[in-house]
Amino acid sequence: MRTILRSMTLVALSLFGFQTAFANDVVVSNSTVTGQDALNHVAFVQFDITWDNSFRDVINHDACWVFVKYSTDGGATWRHATLAATGHTEPSGSKIDTPADGKGVFIYRDADGSGTNTWNGVQLKWDYGADSVADNATVQVKVIAIEMVYIPEAAFSVGSGGGEAGHFFEGGGNNPFEITSEAAITVGNSAGQLFYSSDGDQTGPIPAAFPKGFDAFYMMKYEISQEQYKDFLNCLTYDQQNTRTATSPDASAGTGALKSNNSERNGIDIQTPGTASTTPALYGNNLDGDTNFNEADDGQNIACNFLNWMDGAAYADWAGLRPMTELEFEKACRGDQTPVADEFAWGTANIASSAYTLANDGAANEDIATNYSTTPGVGNASYNTTDGSINGPLRVGIFAGNAANTTDQRVRSGAGFYGNMELSGNLWERPVTIGNVAGRLFTGTLGDGSLSAAGNATNGDWPGTNAVGSGFRGGNWVSISINARVSDRIIAASSNTNRNNSVGFRCVRP
């Protein structure tokens, strides 16, 4: 659609986010720019948003992190819009919170309830003057929405008291260690100190500035999907794309972006080749490898594997988010509950044990056809035993539907305590570790929406292009089940920089 607002023009509309009928399904539509105030250099970005399986209760709520990208050169380059602190339009039943940096907003239910959110006519006030956009500029906008879960301030424990590799415990024994504030933590093998037996330098302290998970934060409900990463690539320059993919953006149409042959269920392909150093490629989802891109079964909602640390960090910076820490990971899994020895993210030490087969392979409603309990549609994690012949990660949120009308909803859906999905299994998470100096220097600065010319995150406190300071938690579709346990730290301080078939990413924001 094309709308003229005084001398400001909106050209084209792009939909970002999940677009399915299941849990991973936020849809943004009918985006436009309206209400330009040239005197104050502001305008409103208006859109409709809907997603299913939303919730708010006395403990926490889900939300969407919504931000805006804009282009003033016909889509050749995209920049991050600065949103005003106030002045947004909240449809009935919704609440909008704007962080101080103006890089986006959180929109969520204004009262307890659950079900589908459908909010039309959301308006975000864009301070385009702060972005140095001229009043008579021709502007394209993209509205991007990412489903998040609010994790409230609370004391919690790390380590389960079980036998996980390298697990956390209170020094002098094997009891879980309780985190009761964001104050510095002494590392050592004495009572009152945090300790671990392996995968890290076993030194400290963990500084007060290192995010420990006690304070409230939002975490992505799901791992980054292949559609989300494709949309990210389509906002980058040629040189940035070249860094954030495994194949040159000027390769032929149908070449895989992160894996050249679409193996291990990654279907992000070059749809239209770029021109070296000038014109970026257009990427599409193409799991079946034919000549038709972005079909209904092209794997848009499969978790995006083959992401290295730098890919995930770049996505976080671009989206105005940040990486999680390994302490925040355990908080999201366990919540403030008493640890269960050797538990998985759903709070028990039991896990699905037989191979799955898939129904609706690659589609938005991809589901489990056979499973550990022999009841169609039921499963709770993806790891080497359950993967069978699938040979790759599953659709994000695939187990969420299992929770309906059951007394063990969290177990059947495989959910963390607050409602985040696939924290155990599917793809490795990539948190910042406490196990080395580089990790402990992390202070939790937020992405500003902009990358370096080469396509890298620009936050100086984040682990950099050598990935030192990062690690792996939560297991994956290839690993054995014990690696999916909440407190397993078998490679929690590994700085591997490779793109691997079992690695994804998930971001947070305080």
Side-chain angles (χ1 to χ4, degrees):
M1 62 188 298
R2 185 179 180 91
T3 306
I4 298 177
L5 303 166
R6 297 182 184 176
S7 53
M8 178 173 281
T9 306
L10 171 72
V11 183
L13 160 65
S14 293
L15 300 181
F16 274 65
F18 302 111
Q19 299 172 45
T20 78
F22 279 64
N24 46 311
D25 61 351
V26 59
V27 176
V28 175
S29 58
N30 299 323
S31 301
T32 187
V33 178
T34 187
Q36 182 186 11
D37 178 353
L39 180 64
N40 293 301
H41 313 298
V42 297
F44 289 92
V45 178
Q46 179 173 304
F47 58 93
D48 304 333
I49 187 170
T50 182
W51 76 94
D52 291 342
N53 299 292
S54 172
F55 66 91
R56 178 171 177 172
D57 56 33
V58 296
I59 298 175
N60 70 317
H61 59 267
D62 74 340
C64 274
W65 171 246
V66 181
F67 56 99
V68 178
K69 297 289 182 177
Y70 70 92
S71 175
T72 57
D73 57 8
T77 57
W78 293 91
R79 296 177 174 84
H80 203 95
T82 300
L83 303 180
T86 60
H88 310 303
T89 298
E90 301 172 334
S92 177
S94 71
K95 172 69 174 174
I96 292 176
D97 286 343
T98 310
D101 61 6
K103 298 302 179 184
V105 302
F106 288 106
I107 183 169
Y108 55 92
R109 291 171 174 264
D110 67 359
D112 290 356
S114 62
T116 300
N117 289 334
T118 300
W119 292 319
N120 298 328
V122 182
Q123 292 187 338
L124 302 183
K125 190 175 182 180
W126 176 23
D127 185 358
Y128 68 81
D131 296 325
S132 300
V133 176
D135 294 319
N136 61 349
T138 299
V139 178
Q140 292 175 274
V141 300
K142 296 181 179 182
V143 180
I144 300 99
I146 300 173
E147 288 185 70
M148 310 285 283
V149 173
Y150 177 73
I151 297 175
E153 176 185 302
F156 69 102
S157 296
V158 293
S160 74
E164 304 94 336
H167 63 274
F168 294 129
F169 57 90
E170 182 178 354
N174 193 42
N175 293 323
F177 180 86
E178 188 175 17
I179 294 176
T180 59
S181 75
E182 290 288 339
I185 296 175
T186 301
V187 177
N189 199 11
S190 298
Q193 299 176 337
L194 173 64
F195 204 58
Y196 51 96
S197 60
S198 62
D199 217 62
D201 59 18
Q202 299 173 300
T203 63
I206 306 168
F210 183 93
K212 298 167 191 65
F214 174 82
D215 285 347
F217 60 98
Y218 281 92
M219 175 182 281
M220 288 176 63
K221 189 181 289 186
Y222 314 108
E223 294 157 330
I224 294 171
S225 73
Q226 293 182 31
E227 182 170 47
Q228 287 178 313
Y229 198 75
K230 172 206 72 177
D231 292 339
F232 162 66
L233 293 176
N234 286 337
C235 282
L236 304 184
T237 66
Y238 181 96
D239 290 341
Q240 290 172 332
Q241 289 178 342
N242 195 41
T243 304
R244 296 280 65 90
T245 58
T247 57
S248 176
D250 62 358
S252 60
T255 302
L258 297 171
K259 184 69 172 179
S260 60
N261 61 356
N262 284 26
S263 64
E264 287 90 18
R265 306 198 81 213
N266 192 294
I268 303 176
D269 285 357
I270 295 173
Q271 184 171 349
T272 304
T275 302
S277 300
T278 58
T279 306
L282 175 67
Y283 293 89
N285 295 107
N286 191 31
L287 183 66
D288 58 14
D290 62 14
T291 58
N292 298 313
F293 290 79
N294 305 314
E295 298 171 292
D297 59 352
D298 269 334
Q300 288 88 331
N301 302 297
I302 296 172
C304 191
N305 51 350
F306 293 104
L307 298 182
N308 60 26
W309 165 263
M310 297 77 76
D311 295 330
Y315 184 93
D317 192 3
W318 171 84
L321 303 172
R322 67 162 173 82
M324 72 172 98
T325 71
E326 61 170 321
L327 304 181
E328 290 172 327
F329 169 78
E330 291 210 25
K331 166 81 169 288
C333 292
R334 182 177 291 123
D336 61 359
Q337 302 299 289
T338 300
V340 174
D342 300 321
E343 68 187 320
F344 297 96
W346 46 88
T348 77
N350 299 319
I351 191 170
S353 59
S354 299
Y356 303 141
T357 59
L358 290 181
N360 310 313
D361 192 346
N365 61 344
E366 179 175 284
D367 204 356
I368 301 301
T370 59
N371 57 86
Y372 73 103
S373 67
T374 70
T375 304
V378 177
N380 69 351
S382 173
Y383 66 103
N384 69 340
T385 298
T386 61
D387 188 81
S389 60
I390 297 171
N391 199 36
L394 305 180
R395 171 177 70 85
V396 297
I398 192 169
F399 304 115
N402 299 344
N405 302 317
T406 64
T407 57
D408 55 350
Q409 294 182 12
R410 183 178 163 201
V411 173
R412 284 180 172 261
S413 64
F417 180 73
Y418 297 104
N420 305 84
M421 305 302 295
E422 288 91 53
L423 291 167
S424 287
N426 213 29
L427 291 176
W428 283 116
E429 309 287 348
R430 291 302 308 268
V432 180
T433 186
I434 68 162
N436 55 45
V437 173
R440 293 190 294 270
L441 290 175
F442 182 64
T443 61
T445 62
L446 291 167
D448 62 3
S450 299
L451 304 179
S452 72
N456 291 312
T458 57
N459 297 64
D461 63 309
W462 296 10
T465 55
N466 61 5
V468 176
S470 67
F472 298 80
R473 297 291 295 267
N476 65 82
W477 65 271
V478 182
S479 65
I480 58 178
S481 64
I482 60 175
N483 296 149
R485 296 183 297 191
V486 172
S487 296
D488 185 90
R489 299 184 64 256
I490 191 167
I491 50 173
S494 171
S495 57
N496 190 303
T497 61
N498 296 328
R499 291 191 175 94
N500 190 281
N501 62 12
S502 61
V503 180
F505 208 89
R506 189 187 315 243
C507 311
V508 303
R509 186 177 175 105

